Amino acid sequence: MQALIDGPSGKEGAVVPRHAVQLDKVTMTPFVIPKLPRAAGSGPVRRLWEKNEIDEKWAESSWAKKKVTQDRRKNLGDFERFKVMRLKKQVSLIAHVFGCGSAMSDTERGTWYTRGNLLTVS
């Protein structure tokens, strides 16, 4: 079974040309263009797309935000990945100190040393 898809996005890299695609290759989104006539051409679809602000709704969705984060992470260099690793370790250490705080005394929660770097938790 196939469907005819058309994505006249206003963004340069997000335009999907009109073509037929198998339904098992498509993921549905909750964004609907109401009162779209059957067999509408690309022109009416583009006008209703802009009128219903589909691009703005997509940009606010969690799916789009995850995609932006994945693309940003994919384009990191070696040093940026190293900085992300160090920040994750610091966050993990702070979470451990305050998350498992019942087993630690107040003096143990003071100043922590991690491989020569001073990390003060107050």
Side-chain angles (χ1 to χ4, degrees):
M1 212 169 175
Q2 292 186 339
L4 185 64
I5 63 168
D6 191 1
S9 176
K11 297 179 183 175
E12 191 172 311
V15 176
V16 177
R18 189 180 184 105
H19 67 281
V21 68
Q22 292 180 353
L23 286 177
D24 61 343
K25 305 288 183 193
V26 177
T27 303
M28 303 296 279
T29 62
F31 309 120
V32 177
I33 299 177
K35 298 181 182 177
L36 182 67
R38 289 180 60 92
S42 292
V45 171
R46 185 179 308 113
R47 283 191 293 274
L48 289 171
W49 184 281
E50 293 169 357
K51 180 181 175 185
N52 290 302
E53 301 174 345
I54 300 296
D55 285 331
E56 289 80 15
K57 290 178 184 176
W58 169 253
E60 294 171 3
S61 70
S62 62
W63 193 354
K65 291 175 185 175
K66 287 179 189 176
K67 179 102 172 97
V68 168
T69 303
Q70 287 173 352
D71 291 343
R72 192 175 342 144
R73 287 268 175 108
K74 194 184 299 182
N75 294 324
L76 289 179
D78 287 341
F79 187 62
E80 287 90 9
R81 280 195 298 274
F82 174 75
K83 289 194 293 188
V84 168
M85 180 194 68
R86 294 292 300 192
L87 289 172
K88 280 179 150 182
K89 283 184 175 184
Q90 282 192 343
V91 168
S92 175
L93 178 68
I94 292 170
H96 175 72
V97 169
F98 289 107
C100 305
S102 61
M104 292 184 184
S105 67
D106 289 335
T107 57
E108 289 176 325
R109 289 186 192 148
T111 305
W112 282 67
Y113 293 91
T114 58
R115 296 190 184 194
N117 294 332
L118 178 65
L119 175 65
T120 304
V121 180
S122 27

